[in-house]
Structures are given as C-alpha cells and as structure tokens.
Amino acid sequence: MPAGTSCLHPVAEVLAHLVGEWRVTRTVRDLTDGSEGHFTGTTLFSPLPLPLPTPLPASEKGGLLHHEAGTFTWHGVARPAERTLRFLPGAAPGTARVEFADGRFFHDLDLRTGRHETDHPCAADLYRGEFEVYDADHWRTRWRVGGPAKDLLLVTEYVRAAQGPPGH
C-alpha cells in the first residue's frame, strides 16, 4: 500500500476513473527460485479508436484502450515491453469487462468498493488477481500465477502521471 494510505477508495465509475496516463512499476517474482524482475513504464487509458479491429456491439461503445509501454528487466537483461488491453463497460453500471487486444475475455473489474478479486484460467495456468484503489491517484494489482511450470507473483503500482478529471 502506498505510504500514508490506510483504507480503500471506492470508485463509482471505473472507466471514468482510469482515463489518463499512469506511471507504472511492476515486480515479477518467481516463487520457485526467488528470481525477481522489474517493469517500469507508463499506461495510457484513452477512448477506444474507431473503427476497432474487432467490432463492438453498440452497447459496448465508450470503452477505453489500455496501452502499457516501458522496460522489463529479467536476470539483468532489459528489454522493451508493451501490451494493449480493452476496458469495456461491464454488465453492472460502473464496472468494466477487460479484454485482450484481439477481443478475448480477460476478466471483469468492479472497483465500487475499492477492491476486486478475479480469476483468469489460461491453458494449464490460473491467474488470480486482486485490485485495490487507495485514492484517486494510486491503485495496485497483484496477480498470483500458478500452473505446472509457473509460480509467479506480479505486483503493479499505478500512480497518476497528471491531475485527473475534475472531482478526482
């Protein structure tokens, strides 16, 4: 939890909350051998461009494109790294459905209490995610990844890079 933070911050509308640029730091720890890697970069949440590679039904317009870019260092080797996700309006007001860039479902996201847990099965692996919001400008994800050949913990801290929309 960021310094000086003692409670969770409920988010009434997750897509409105995420809009903008965030500074990102991630630690990736291999729990099998203790190896640790680090990612530093930025994540930009911006309105989905049109037309999309995978068309969306009218009910799902108004989502966000999540583009993360930076440097990942593993075993002393630094490499450029990036990923793109789509955050779409969720089934309940104020929530989101997160998809990979190609439209495959990743997970739901409901931060109305300031905290959310979710699972994502991927082949023989299970990704178990926890999301926590500490204030308008700080949030964290923790993914525990387990499977036959994986035992990882990924912890990502997000800090808003610039002042958010009014009221945040």
Side-chain angles (χ1 to χ4, degrees):
M1 187 175 330
T5 303
S6 60
C7 61
L8 298 176
H9 177 78
V11 173
E13 170 49 63
V14 68
L15 296 176
H17 177 79
L18 293 174
V19 169
E21 185 175 3
W22 298 82
R23 290 189 315 271
V24 179
T25 56
R26 178 176 302 120
T27 300
V28 178
R29 181 172 299 129
D30 185 328
L31 300 174
T32 303
D33 67 11
S35 300
E36 193 168 284
H38 300 278
F39 172 87
T40 57
T42 59
T43 295
L44 179 63
F45 287 91
S46 59
L48 280 167
L50 297 174
L52 294 171
T54 306
L56 297 174
S59 63
E60 297 177 357
K61 296 200 184 321
L64 299 174
L65 184 69
H66 159 287
H67 182 76
E68 179 179 277
T71 303
F72 181 60
T73 304
W74 186 254
H75 295 285
V77 178
R79 295 186 176 100
E82 64 180 278
R83 71 175 176 165
T84 301
L85 300 170
R86 300 187 321 188
F87 281 61
L88 304 172
T95 68
R97 188 177 83 243
V98 182
E99 296 180 349
F100 295 103
D102 63 6
R104 289 176 298 127
F105 178 76
F106 186 13
H107 63 83
D108 288 314
L109 184 59
D110 180 353
L111 295 174
R112 294 175 294 179
T113 65
R115 186 171 196 283
H116 181 72
E117 293 183 8
T118 190
D119 289 340
H120 172 74
C122 182
D125 301 326
L126 177 64
Y127 288 66
R128 175 153 287 152
E130 298 175 6
F131 297 73
E132 293 180 335
V133 180
Y134 301 115
D135 60 40
D137 299 320
H138 300 88
W139 59 292
R140 175 172 49 196
T141 66
R142 291 172 46 92
W143 285 97
R144 178 70 189 265
V145 184
K150 293 182 185 173
D151 192 5
L152 304 171
L153 177 62
L154 295 78
V155 179
T156 306
E157 302 283 345
Y158 295 84
V159 177
R160 194 177 298 278
Q163 196 65 346
H168 272 53

